[in-house]
């Protein structure tokens, strides 16, 4: 492959002179062109070749970013050429493209490992991990020889991707070391493993001096079978002085069937049900649904009848799982309520309450209620409800509901046949949302058993009036081991908009988010995500977010909001392009939620702890730099009252957080969870 790639690269380089006429002539024009190219999912080959000789490294970096945002194997010769660039930022972007390609990018990633500066080796290590177990041997040598802590940190945090290789021993070695940043990274990979060989290190790390490391390790016990030693660790974690560690222990208990806990641990978990830390209380309520020893039916009923919607809904779900007879009257009353949150909570509990409750949920006029019922179904519960689900598939007016039904049927290997799926996709061509058509075509691609049938499905997706359908099918195809190269889409704006973006992104920009619990401030990352930053900024300035809510809060992971539907399926009416970067998703980073590459919209999430698996795959929009304690207080259903836009290096002080009727959580303490920011 290497020889072929180099021959192709030489051939492309030979055509660079002829391509020069296609390239914008001034620096500002080139920057504007590249913003537009990013928005339309790719640059023309001519300018891409010409910019190899551009005297401004910023132009070469920006072009490499365009390649990394939508990489394909057809671009490998061009990426080889860009890997020869003198600016390490360009080579870093080539590594980002290689990692997003996965296995086809391995050869490129291995070249990057020998490419000199630490930031390039760091990016190459990330990329090589995405190639799978074949990368283990060179990466194991890197673990032994590398001295730069940022390179090691990135590599250790991504070892879990090397499934089928013996990486656990190396991770365990660093997990026992003196460097807390490397211990944290090793803990992250071990926590995502689920393999028995990861458990001893996780149990040891659960006693680490740093609370982020303890919480990460305890969270890892949610995967795999629990041993007696694991239960001992969970019991100790329930008494940890840091609430995040206690929340992680509750989350692990929620992932397992009945666990016999010591009496002191049962009391600690029971006390967490009414914790002033809302995320801890939420995690404890989820654990109570699986562990009957945590709390009593009376306590759960009292919480279900309380005045905090998120806690009340979770308490009803836990009560329904344990005592359906006690939950049924509450759920029946809520199913007829004018309060949307009560109807959605009743729908989530309906799975445990029998056919009448499920029928009410499935017939509710609000699509979010129907989706809440569907989201509560586990794969093993789909087959008995197949007739109900197929009825929704054929008649439900909401595209999100139909998409969710198809996803559930596919998970249970009960999806319709190829011809029926294609007929559904055609019948749904007038849907305003692309999700149902995309899901039908993705299921059709999985069902197709000949090249002719597969090409027919791909052609239908790429011909769809909404290019997001093609993007979503490309993601589904990648999961099946196939590659679809997306055609260029029409840019969203006229050229003047992209020209103005060059100047707009030269000045610092901020967003102040006022919520029911107080305000927090986001510093937008204009270097990594200028186009997304401008689009989100404009939405905020137009009042788009005012009055929307936070529909998703996952303890120790993310807070997410900004959906105009309020159920996680909504968008602004357009799709943002990916602006991936290797800026780590440490705690307090702001990202854009997607349904796969090139499907971003208006929904924003904030990471509450390091989430290394998101790095390079989601647009890293910025960082919460003030009001972080507010993020730990947010509950599902809390509103975004207003987002204010600010410009310039000097900004007014952030408004003091408002006190809710529950005590504010203390800001997390301890050293930064990652040093990668400082090293880049």
């Amino acid at each position: 492959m290497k020889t072929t790639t180099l021959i192709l690269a030489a051939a492309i380089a030979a055509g660079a002179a002829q391509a020069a006429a296609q390239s914008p002539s001034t620096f500002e024009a080139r920057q504007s062109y590249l913003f537009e190219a990013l928005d339309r999912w790719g640059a023309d080959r001519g300018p891409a070749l010409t910019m190899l000789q551009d005297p401004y490294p910023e132009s070469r970096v920006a072009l490499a970013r365009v390649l990394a945002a939508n990489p394909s194997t057809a671009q490998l010769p061009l990426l080889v050429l860009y890997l020869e660039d003198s600016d390490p930022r360009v080579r870093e972007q080539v590594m980002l493209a290689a990692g997003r390609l996965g296995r086809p990018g391995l050869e490129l990633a291995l070249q990057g490992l020998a490419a000199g500066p630490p930031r390039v080796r760091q990016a190459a290590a990330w990329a090589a991990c995405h190639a799978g177990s074949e990368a283990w041997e060179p990466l194991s040598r890197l673990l032994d020889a590398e001295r730069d802590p940022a390179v090691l940190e990135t590599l250790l945090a991504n070892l879990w991707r090397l499934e089928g290789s013996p990486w656990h021993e190396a991770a365990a070695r660093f997990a026992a070391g003196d460097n807390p940043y490397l211990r944290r990274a090793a803990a992250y990979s071990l926590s995502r493993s689920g393999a028995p060989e990861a458990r001893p290190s996780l149990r040891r790390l659960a006693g680490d001096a740093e609370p982020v490391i303890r919480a990460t390790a305890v969270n890892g016990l949610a995967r795999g079978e629990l041993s007696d030693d694991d239960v001992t660790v969970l019991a100790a974690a329930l008494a940890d002085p840091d609430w995040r560690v206690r929340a992680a222990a509750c989350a692990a208990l929620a992932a397992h069937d009945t666990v016999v806990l010591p009496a002191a641990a049962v009391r600690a978990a029971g006390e967490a049900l009414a914790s002033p830390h809302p995320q801890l209380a939420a995690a404890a309520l989820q654990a109570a649904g699986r562990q009957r020893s945590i709390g009593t039916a009376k306590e759960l009923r009292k919480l279900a009848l309380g005045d905090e919607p998120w806690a009340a809904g979770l308490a009803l779900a836990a009560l329904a799982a344990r005592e359906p007879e006690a939950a049924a009257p509450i759920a029946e009353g809520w199913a007829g309520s004018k309060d949307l949150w009560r109807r959605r909570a009743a729908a989530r509990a309906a799975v445990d309450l029998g056919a009448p409750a499920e029928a009410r949920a499935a017939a509710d006029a609000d699509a979010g209620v129907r989706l809440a019922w569907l989201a509560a179904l586990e794969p093993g519960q789909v087959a008995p409800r197949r007739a109900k689900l197929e009825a929704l598939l054929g008649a439900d007016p909401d595209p999100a509901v139909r998409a969710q039904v198809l996803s559930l049927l596919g998970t249970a290997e009960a999806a319709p046949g190829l011809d029926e799926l294609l007929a559904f996709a055609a019948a749904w061509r007038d849907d305003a949302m692309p999700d149902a058509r995309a899901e039908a075509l993705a299921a059709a691609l999985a069902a197709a058993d000949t090249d002719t049938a597969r090409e027919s499905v791909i052609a239908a997706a790429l011909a769809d009036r909404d290019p997001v359908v093609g993007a979503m099918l490309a993601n589904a195809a990648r999961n099946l081991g196939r590659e679809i190269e997306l055609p260029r889409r029409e840019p969203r704006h006229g050229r003047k908009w992209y020209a103005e973006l060059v100047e707009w992104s030269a000045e610092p920009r901020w967003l102040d988010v006022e919520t029911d619990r107080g305000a927090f401030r986001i510093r937008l990352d204009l270097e990594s995500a200028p186009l997304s930053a401008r689009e989100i900024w404009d939405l905020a300035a137009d009042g788009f977010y005012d009055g929307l809510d936070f529909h998703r809060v996952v303890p120790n992971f993310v807070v997410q909001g900004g959906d105009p539907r309020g159920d996680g399926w909504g968008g602004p009416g357009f799709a943002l392009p990916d602006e991936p970067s290797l800026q780590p998703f440490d705690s307090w980073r702001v990202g854009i939620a997607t349904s796969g590459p090139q499907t971003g919209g208006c929904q924003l999430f904030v990471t509450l702890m390091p989430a290394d698996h998101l790095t390079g795959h989601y647009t890293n929009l910025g960082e919460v730099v003030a009001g972080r304690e507010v993020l730990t207080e947010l509950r599902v259903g809390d509103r975004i009252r207003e987002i204010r836009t600010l410009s310039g290096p000097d900004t007014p002080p952030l408004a003091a957080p408002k006190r809710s009727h529950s005590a504010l959580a203390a800001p997390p303490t301890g050293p930064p969870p990652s040093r990668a920011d400082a090293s880049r």
Side-chain angles (χ1 to χ4, degrees):
M1 177 181 173
K2 183 175 181 179
T3 301
T4 302
T5 300
L6 292 176
I7 291 173
L8 289 171
I12 290 176
Q18 290 84 357
Q22 302 178 45
S23 182
S25 58
T26 67
F27 173 72
E28 291 76 13
R30 288 194 290 276
Q31 293 297 102
S32 174
Y33 166 80
L34 290 168
F35 284 144
E36 182 179 342
L38 184 65
D39 208 6
R40 59 188 175 92
W41 298 352
D44 296 327
R45 192 175 78 165
L49 287 166
T50 303
M51 285 185 194
L52 282 165
Q53 309 302 323
D54 196 292
Y56 295 102
E58 288 77 12
S59 294
R60 305 196 305 274
V61 172
L63 193 283
R65 281 185 176 141
V66 174
L67 296 175
N70 191 29
S72 68
T73 54
Q75 294 171 352
L76 282 171
L78 190 57
L79 291 168
V80 168
L81 292 175
Y82 270 85
L83 188 57
E84 299 299 320
D85 196 278
S86 61
D87 194 306
R89 295 174 297 170
V90 175
R91 285 175 274 161
E92 180 184 41
Q93 292 300 315
V94 174
M95 292 299 99
L96 177 57
R100 284 167 65 83
L101 281 171
R103 174 61 187 83
L106 175 58
E107 182 181 306
L108 205 59
L110 295 182
Q111 293 179 53
L113 287 176
R119 71 181 297 160
V120 180
R121 295 201 309 277
Q122 182 180 3
W126 177 88
C129 286
H130 283 72
S133 60
E134 290 182 52
W136 167 242
E137 288 301 326
L139 290 176
S140 67
R141 292 193 293 272
L142 184 66
L143 282 170
D144 292 335
E146 183 60 57
R147 294 295 176 264
D148 188 278
V151 178
L152 286 171
E153 184 177 356
T154 294
L155 176 51
L156 287 167
N158 286 279
L159 286 177
W160 61 274
R161 300 181 185 278
L162 303 175
E163 186 176 356
S165 64
W167 60 266
H168 292 87
E169 183 178 349
R173 186 172 77 249
F174 284 93
D178 295 333
N179 188 316
Y181 302 100
L182 300 187
R183 293 203 309 275
R184 199 285 308 169
Y188 191 84
S189 276
L190 291 164
S191 75
R192 294 188 68 85
S193 169
E197 51 265 43
R199 314 301 270 196
S201 292
L202 289 175
R203 291 193 292 266
R204 183 172 61 253
L205 288 164
D208 197 274
E210 303 297 340
V212 167
I213 297 176
R214 297 200 302 275
T216 301
V218 171
N219 187 62
L221 297 180
R223 294 180 169 91
E225 297 296 322
L226 286 178
S227 67
D228 290 343
D229 289 338
D230 294 335
V231 174
T232 299
V233 168
L234 291 179
L238 288 169
D240 195 277
D242 193 290
W243 66 263
R244 294 168 294 177
V245 182
R246 302 200 298 276
C250 289
L253 291 170
H256 293 281
D257 291 327
T258 302
V259 174
V260 178
L261 293 168
V266 170
R267 286 195 299 274
E271 291 169 358
L273 293 172
S275 171
H277 303 291
Q279 291 182 38
L280 173 56
L285 284 165
Q286 290 166 331
R290 298 294 291 271
Q291 310 296 334
R292 297 181 67 89
S293 63
I294 298 177
T296 65
K298 183 178 179 180
E299 289 173 316
L300 293 175
R301 185 178 185 279
K302 180 180 179 181
L303 288 168
L305 297 176
D307 59 358
E308 281 285 1
W310 188 29
L314 291 172
L316 178 64
L319 186 62
R322 288 171 45 166
E323 304 285 348
E325 299 83 3
I330 301 174
E332 185 174 356
W334 285 13
S337 172
K338 294 181 180 179
D339 296 330
L340 190 55
W341 73 265
R342 294 184 193 275
R343 302 210 312 275
R344 291 182 178 179
R348 285 188 288 271
V351 175
D352 293 310
L353 299 179
E358 292 192 72
R360 287 193 296 269
D364 196 280
D366 179 73
V369 174
R370 305 195 296 278
L371 286 164
W373 167 59
L374 294 170
L377 291 173
E378 297 181 0
Q381 298 172 317
V382 172
R385 296 164 174 82
R386 183 171 181 174
K388 291 180 182 179
L389 295 174
E390 289 176 341
L392 280 178
L393 193 61
D396 200 282
D398 189 79
V401 172
R402 287 182 256 121
Q404 181 72 359
V405 169
L406 274 177
S407 178
L408 285 170
L409 291 173
T411 301
E413 299 183 351
L418 175 62
D419 291 341
E420 191 175 0
L421 288 165
L422 291 174
F424 277 134
W428 299 336
R429 62 181 176 272
D430 293 329
D431 283 351
M433 292 173 58
D435 301 78
R437 296 197 305 280
E439 192 70 41
L441 290 169
L445 185 64
D449 56 3
T450 67
D451 287 341
T452 300
R454 284 187 282 269
E455 292 305 321
S456 176
V457 174
I458 292 170
L462 297 183
D464 194 278
R465 63 183 175 83
D466 191 332
V468 169
V469 173
M472 294 175 76
L473 189 74
N475 188 48
R478 190 176 298 112
N479 293 334
L480 295 171
R482 296 179 61 88
E483 181 185 346
I484 298 175
E485 187 168 1
L486 293 176
R488 305 287 181 260
R489 71 168 184 173
E490 288 297 316
R492 265 193 19 91
H493 305 282
R495 290 189 173 178
K496 182 180 179 182
W497 190 90
Y498 301 102
E500 291 174 347
L501 180 57
V502 176
E503 182 177 353
W504 183 90
S505 59
E507 184 177 19
R509 306 283 174 173
W510 317 76
L511 299 175
D512 278 4
V513 184
E514 181 71 36
T515 80
D516 286 343
R517 309 288 170 177
F520 60 91
R521 175 168 291 168
I522 299 169
R523 180 182 62 216
L524 294 173
D525 190 336
L526 302 177
E527 179 181 355
S528 297
L531 196 149
S532 298
R534 177 62 189 269
E535 296 276 24
I536 297 300
W537 167 281
D538 285 347
L539 287 175
D542 289 342
F544 175 88
Y545 289 101
D546 301 353
L548 302 185
D549 63 17
F550 294 93
H551 64 274
R552 183 178 183 228
V553 179
V554 182
N556 285 344
F557 180 35
V558 295
V559 171
Q560 185 170 325
D563 172 16
R565 283 175 53 117
D567 55 21
W569 287 82
F574 58 84
L576 290 175
D578 288 355
E579 290 185 89
S581 72
L582 291 174
Q583 169 67 51
F585 267 101
D586 289 334
S587 306
W588 318 117
R589 296 299 300 188
V590 182
I592 293 178
T594 74
S595 299
Q598 310 297 357
T599 63
C602 54
Q603 294 184 38
L604 307 179
F605 65 83
V606 182
T607 50
L608 302 170
M609 281 187 27
D612 299 84
H613 65 287
L614 304 179
T615 300
H617 300 286
Y618 289 80
T619 297
N620 202 323
L621 187 70
E623 181 182 11
V624 175
V625 293
R628 291 173 173 177
E629 68 277 9
V630 172
L631 275 301
T632 66
E633 275 292 288
L634 288 174
R635 298 140 167 91
V636 170
D638 282 349
R639 289 176 304 154
I640 300 171
R641 295 184 176 181
E642 181 186 11
I643 298 185
R644 296 181 292 275
T645 56
L646 300 89
S647 303
D650 298 320
T651 57
L654 181 67
K658 292 181 173 61
R659 284 244 176 214
S660 65
H661 58 77
S662 61
L664 283 173
T669 58
S674 171
R675 67 166 57 171
D677 277 348
S679 69
R680 293 171 59 79

